[in-house]
Amino acid sequence: MANSAGTLPSVIDLHSHSDRSDGALSPSALIRRAADRGVRAIALTDHDTVDGMADAETEARLHGLQLVAGVEISVTWSGRTLHVVGLGIDPCHSALIEGLARVRGGRMQRARAMDARLHAAGISGVLNGALALAANPEMVSRTHFARHLVSIGACKDMGAAFRRYLGEGKPAYVRHTWASLPEAIDWIKSAGGVSVLAHPGRYGLRRARMQTLFAEFGRLGGAAVEVVSGSHTREQTRLVADLSIECGLLASAGSDFHGAEESWLDIGQLPSLPEGCMPVWHDARLALPH
Ligand code: AMP
Ligand code: MN
Ligand code: MN
Ligand code: MN
């Protein structure tokens, strides 16, 4: 395959989820799906856990697919939630493992508070319903709440569940403090990985504010930003590409696949990086084909 910045070498997808966090597929089923679609290298980047890595690795070997060990850490920055993806991490590194355990620790308490708010809004038993859908109860997430709300007919689809109840500022939204940005980057760094700011287009930041974030992210040791993401519009991709080049950050690309009917893009179905971007997969720490 071509090796220019504008073309993905083979097929590389550096952002995906299994049911160890809020994805719909088991780690093995996710890897099988990637292999079926011709993906050559995939990063499993579950939210706040590396639990799925061993199963994913076993399955990846069977298919001759390269697995990049990854994670997507929930971060609170300047009063908002950001996601930082770590790529090429050692999933057994103690500082990372302990940090992730702490971040996961607050989820159940937040879920109870969300449940109480939904109860007050007239919908009962949502926490139990969400937990029934979560393979790992410690990782109960708004995605599980949304799936349950759709399954009982309270919302027509996942998007509606977030617009009506679960999104920021909506009746069941509960503020939560996750890891700090320096902590997340430090954990990833000590585990030998590369820090990537996930889907910067999703944070509602104007250009100047995004630039401030990128500069701070770079100063703290962040290496790349996700330019191509399943959740970006064309305009967001363009803006993030321009700012990544301006700030000297590498560019990543990932579908952010969660499940067949739920995701913007299927695994590996990614547009090319815009001209001028420097692909993160050229970073030697990821040991990916150029
Ligand atoms: P949590 O970490 O529990 O706050 O849940 C965040 C997750 O909710 C994200 O990782 C997405 O998978 C999902 N999510 C957020 N907004 C939406 C949306 N508008 N539609 C569908 N899923 C969403
Ligand atoms: Mn998610
Ligand atoms: Mn995310
Ligand atoms: Mn994600």
Side-chain angles (χ1 to χ4, degrees):
M1 277 252 186
N3 184 20
S4 74
T7 313
L8 293 178
S10 331
V11 182
I12 292 180
D13 189 330
L14 297 178
H15 191 148
S16 70
H17 295 274
S18 78
D19 66 4
R20 305 323 300 171
S21 65
D22 63 350
L25 302 179
S26 68
S28 338
L30 178 82
I31 299 297
R32 275 197 299 277
R33 187 181 182 95
D36 287 348
R37 280 156 181 72
V39 173
R40 304 294 296 278
I42 184 172
L44 174 62
T45 57
D46 272 318
H47 297 286
D48 307 324
T49 181
V50 290
D51 240 27
M53 221 57 69
D55 286 357
E57 182 61 50
T58 305
E59 192 70 27
R61 278 216 194 99
L62 286 177
H63 298 275
L65 194 150
Q66 187 172 354
L67 178 72
V68 175
V71 66
E72 181 175 19
I73 305 180
S74 311
V75 162
T76 302
W77 177 80
S78 204
R80 39 179 115 226
T81 298
L82 307 179
H83 287 169
V84 176
V85 163
L87 297 176
I89 50 164
D90 167 7
C92 301
H93 192 276
S94 59
L96 176 68
I97 301 266
E98 285 159 25
L100 295 179
R102 201 193 84 209
V103 178
R104 286 196 303 273
R107 278 188 177 269
M108 189 56 81
Q109 198 184 350
R110 182 188 66 148
R112 284 198 198 96
M114 284 164 54
D115 182 62
R117 296 208 186 173
L118 285 161
H119 182 77
I123 313 177
S124 300
V126 182
L127 177 55
N128 283 338
L131 284 172
L133 299 172
N136 175 10
E138 228 195 340
M139 272 310 303
V140 64
S141 110
R142 285 187 290 160
T143 308
H144 301 111
F145 275 69
R147 287 190 186 126
H148 176 74
L149 289 169
V150 173
S151 78
I152 61 171
C155 301
K156 75 172 192 325
D157 56 30
M158 303 280 286
F162 278 87
R163 279 193 304 278
R164 176 132 183 237
Y165 296 110
L166 303 169
E168 194 166 344
K170 302 301 157 128
Y173 184 78
V174 173
R175 269 198 182 287
H176 192 74
T177 304
W178 307 100
S180 73
L181 189 56
E183 279 173 333
I185 294 172
D186 282 350
W187 297 336
I188 292 166
K189 186 178 170 204
S190 49
V194 176
S195 289
V196 181
L197 183 65
H199 43 64
R202 284 242 300 266
Y203 305 131
L205 301 171
R206 288 178 195 279
R207 186 187 180 97
R209 194 86 180 108
M210 200 184 282
Q211 202 169 25
T212 303
L213 171 59
F214 283 18
E216 185 174 336
F217 186 71
R219 267 198 312 277
L220 290 168
V225 296
E226 250 174 26
V227 171
V228 167
S229 163
S231 62
H232 278 171
T233 62
R234 271 168 193 276
E235 293 69 34
Q236 288 169 336
T237 300
R238 191 63 258 168
L239 172 62
V240 175
D242 289 348
L243 288 180
S244 73
I245 295 164
E246 217 173 291
C247 298
L249 292 165
L250 302 174
S252 189
S255 60
D256 205 356
F257 180 82
H258 282 72
E261 268 88 50
E262 298 178 357
S263 293
W264 298 276
L265 288 180
D266 205 338
I267 309 177
Q269 308 298 299
L270 304 176
S272 303
L273 283 180
E275 273 311 305
C277 288
M278 296 175 290
V280 71
W281 49 90
H282 289 183
D283 190 303
R285 283 171 291 184
L286 300 188
L288 285 170
H290 282 32

